[in-house]
Amino acid sequence: MSRTKNSAQPARAAVADKREAILRAATHVFARKGYFNSKVSDIAGEAGIADGTVYLYFKSKDEILHSIFDRAMAEFIAEGRRELETIPDAAGKIRRIAELHLEKLGADREMAVDETGRRLTFGEYRDRCERAAAGLAALGVADGTVVSWALPT
């Protein structure tokens, strides 16, 4: 008996749910133990699945970390684009991007990590924000809406 289109939908949903559960578990494990101290077995345990099941969805721990960042950035960029469509000037856009970023990190502090999964200190995070803001400010300088930019100290 062949699968129909409708019978394949629950299977796809189950795969997506399990993949999402692994990513959520990995986020918690990386935040708690650090990326380098975490094992795939830790992630599997947190997700409530067998160790081997993780490898059905991801080739490696590195791929899991990349997927976490890819997912977070895709969501953030999509949300940012929707929000920025209604703001006409560069200064307002920069302000809203900073607000969105801080709101996102406030809602999920475990995402304030670097490329290796290490939690960022406030100073490190602030430095990254300043570099990003400087790049965005250049957009406003080009159209004359931003004269200078500095984060408050």
Side-chain angles (χ1 to χ4, degrees), residues 122 126 130 150-153:
F122 178 77
R126 181 187 164 92
E130 285 181 344
L151 288 177
T153 56

Side-chain angles (χ1 to χ4, degrees), residues 21-83:
I22 293 167
L23 292 174
R24 278 194 313 271
T27 300
H28 294 294
V29 170
F30 293 161
R32 188 173 62 245
K33 298 181 86 172
Y35 176 77
F36 291 110
N37 293 323
S38 300
K39 299 179 201 149
V40 170
S41 60
D42 299 328
I43 296 166
E46 180 85 16
I49 59 174
D51 296 3
T53 303
V54 174
Y55 292 105
L56 296 174
Y57 297 88
F58 301 96
K59 292 178 184 173
S60 66
K61 188 173 73 167
D62 286 343
E63 186 178 344
I64 295 170
L65 181 64
H66 287 273
S67 293
I68 290 168
F69 281 110
D70 289 347
R71 178 189 63 179
M73 289 307 300
E75 290 171 2
F76 182 72
I77 289 169
E79 181 182 354
R81 284 190 172 142
R82 283 190 305 274
E83 293 262 347

Side-chain angles (χ1 to χ4, degrees), residues 71-136:
R71 178 189 63 179
M73 289 307 300
E75 290 171 2
F76 182 72
I77 289 169
E79 181 182 354
R81 284 190 172 142
R82 283 190 305 274
E83 293 262 347
L84 297 181
E85 285 175 356
T86 63
I87 302 171
D89 63 294
K93 288 180 184 206
I94 291 169
R95 187 177 307 105
R96 188 61 190 135
I97 288 170
E99 291 169 355
L100 285 170
H101 192 63
L102 294 173
E103 287 169 10
K104 187 73 164 169
L105 285 177
D108 191 356
R109 177 64 178 105
E110 292 178 345
M111 290 303 292
V113 295
D114 69 8
E115 300 78 21
T116 67
R118 183 182 63 83
R119 281 195 181 182
L120 296 172
T121 65
F122 178 77
E124 291 169 327
Y125 183 70
R126 181 187 164 92
D127 290 345
R128 287 176 183 226
C129 287
E130 285 181 344
R131 285 194 304 272
L136 291 169

